[in-house]
Amino acid sequence: MAYSEKVLEHAENPRNVGTLDKDDPNVGTGLVGAPACGDVMRLQIRVGEGGLIEDARFKTFGCGSAIASSSLATEWLKGKSLAEASTIKNTSIVEELNLPPVKIHCSVLAEDAIKAAIADYRAKQSVKAARESA
Amino acid sequence: MNPFERLGLEPKFSIDLVQVERVHRELSRALHPDRHVRGLPSERVRALDEAVSVNEAWRTLRDPIRRAEAILELRGSGAPSPHATPSPGFLMAMMERREDLEAAKHQGITALQAIEGAVARDLTETLEELAQALDSASAEHAPARRLLAEVRFHQRLLDEVTSLISD
């Protein structure tokens, strides 16, 4: 499989690899996997006071395209609002990384991970809000 | 003709592979081109086509993942999509296993073998659960689809660990 230069660049120098505290109420964690290739991806966001994503981290076990897709996703997420973040589409990742058709599912996984992280953050916030109003 | 019918079997997950292999061998022998050299061209072509589909059926049935897919397909429930995501608990455990594997890569062969053993046990257990889910009278397909996805994860991980050990 010939990877594009951008995929190789991200796979060799992945940005924002790491872990945020999943118990922090301001952190949203998205955990997704693709049974067909055995890939697992964890993507986390920390949302600051102003509602902007101030940090994003990932850990991906999978092929170079899966690593590159999540690495790129974390770069794009930083500084965005949740509304902006939820508009990130897998097709933009495909375009940016020149992913071949057989690797499109890697970008889908990254989009799913972003959505899961946002959903997790929102769920935590609504629990927090319910507790505060109780 | 589905692969079970092709080899004269009921569509069940729990099958006796030794016996199925014997059936496959007997059919292949009967269909072998050498036995049909005197036949009409149309008969020779038919025997060859059948030999190909008997081989394909055997390849499908001997692989547990493909066998499970074949059963789900027969029941019209389709195989899990490549993006079907198992439970968060399972993914968490898979993530931890992968992290253990990363660490074991630097610890050497004994650590890798310990992980190989653990993953092989998980795979066996999940295959047993899958057999129960597929062969029970229940018409519910969701548990079998979820278990099949888990089997795929375990199998991929096991293949990776095994190839790391053999390197």
Side-chain angles (χ1 to χ4, degrees), chain A residues 31-40 42 59 61 105, chain B residues 82-85 91-92 95 98-99 102 149 152-153 156:
Chain A
L31 194 54
V32 294
C37 45
D39 291 0
V40 239
R42 183 185 57 215
K59 183 91 202 236
F61 294 100
H105 69 275
Chain B
H83 324 301
T85 293
L91 285 173
M92 202 99 81
M95 201 80 200
R98 292 268 173 186
E99 277 164 356
E102 284 298 295
R152 286 176 196 274
F153 273 105
R156 289 303 292 232

Side-chain angles (χ1 to χ4, degrees), chain A residues 35 38, chain B residues 90 93-94 97-98 118-127 147-161:
Chain B
F90 177 84
M94 194 44 61
R97 262 283 144 71
R98 292 268 173 186
V119 179
R121 273 193 299 281
D122 285 348
L123 177 60
T124 308
E125 276 172 26
T126 317
L127 279 171
L147 288 164
L148 177 54
E150 294 185 6
V151 164
R152 286 176 196 274
F153 273 105
H154 291 313
Q155 185 65 61
R156 289 303 292 232
L157 183 54
L158 185 60
D159 292 347
E160 270 184 53
V161 185

